[in-house]
Structures are given as structure tokens and as C-alpha cells.
Amino acid sequence: MSYDHNNIFAKIIRGEIPAKKIHEDEWVLSFYDLYPKRRIHALVIPKGAYIALSDFTQQATTEEIIGFWQGVETTIKLLQLLPNGYRLVTNNGAHGHQEVPHFHVHILGGEPVGKMVSD
Ligand code: AMP
């Protein structure tokens, strides 16, 4: 499967559609999820064209990988989630119910997020 340059997050990176940004630097963009599942629901995406986690891990440079995870940490701090905790989620592929084919991490918090998955 090749990267779809017209996916919605690629359009957000290019500024073609708006997003409520939290943090942006050379490596990442973080913004609020349009359909929040918890009081705070943010997304962090690398600026490079990667479909999912394995793709990112195998093909991104070390600088990109470090830059991405530092961007996740910066976003968590900006959202003031450190004292009470939060959850990171990354959905991958069909069984992971990934809807947008650009690698991203969800940050959920601002209230107890509940059990990891429904029974
Ligand atoms: P996933 O199922 O992991 O691919 O999650 C994709 C997420 O993107 C969902 O939580 C959507 O609510 C969110 N989403 C879709 N379109 C937008 C958008 N234009 N701006 C912000 N979040 C979006």
C-alpha cells in the first residue's frame, strides 16, 4: 500500500484544511481531534509521509523518530496532562480500526479515560 498524499492529515500539514493546533515544529504537528472521545483528545502526527507505526519506525530517520516522540511529550506538557495522567493510542490497519492512513498518536485525558478496550 502506498501513501495517499490526499489523506486528511496530509491536507492539514499542507494547510489546505484547518486544524486547532496545539504544537508545531520541524518534525510534528499536534492538534485537537475534531470528534473528541474524552475531555482532552489530541492527535500528534509526523510531518513526513508515513502510513502507520511500522512504516514510520522502519523508514523514518533517527532524527524524525526522536523529533516525533519529543513532539508527543511537548504536547502532553502543553495540555498539562502530566500530573493526572493520560493515554496514548495508535490505531494500525484494518483490525486496529485506523481511519486516516497517516501515522498518528491519539492523546486522551483531562478525565479518567476508562478501561483500555471494551470487553
Ligand atoms: P484513527 O481511527 O486512529 O485513524 O483516527 C483518526 C482520527 O482523526 C479520528 O479520531 C477522527 O475523529 C479524527 N479526525 C478526522 N478528521 C479530522 C480533522 N479534520 N481534524 C481533526 N481530527 C480529525
Side-chain angles (χ1 to χ4, degrees):
M1 183 176 155
S2 60
Y3 182 82
D4 170 15
H5 288 274
N6 282 320
N7 78 75
I8 205 144
F9 293 170
K11 290 181 179 177
I12 287 175
I13 290 170
R14 292 197 296 268
E16 292 169 10
I17 59 170
K20 199 173 163 199
K21 290 182 188 178
I22 301 161
H23 169 72
E24 182 169 16
D25 61 32
E26 183 181 357
W27 308 111
V28 300
L29 176 61
S30 61
F31 50 97
Y32 289 98
D33 196 292
L34 201 54
Y35 306 102
K37 298 287 190 294
R38 290 295 179 272
R39 200 170 73 76
I40 295 177
H41 186 173
L43 299 167
V44 188
I45 62 177
K47 288 206 168 161
Y50 302 103
I51 300 170
L53 178 63
S54 299
D55 188 32
F56 180 67
T57 306
Q58 289 167 30
Q59 295 185 44
T61 64
T62 303
E63 267 188 313
E64 280 178 294
I65 293 171
I66 292 171
F68 176 76
W69 290 108
Q70 285 178 336
V72 172
E73 179 69 4
T74 298
T75 303
I76 289 164
K77 285 181 180 155
L78 286 171
L79 294 171
Q80 300 184 306
L81 294 175
L82 280 179
N84 291 316
Y86 56 87
R87 178 173 297 156
L88 296 186
V89 172
T90 182
N91 297 322
N92 285 265
H95 283 194
H97 206 281
Q98 181 179 4
E99 292 174 358
V100 180
H102 180 110
F103 171 52
H104 54 280
V105 168
H106 297 252
I107 303 172
L108 298 152
E111 63 182 335
V113 298
K115 291 167 72 172
M116 191 168 69
V117 290
S118 53
D119 292 324

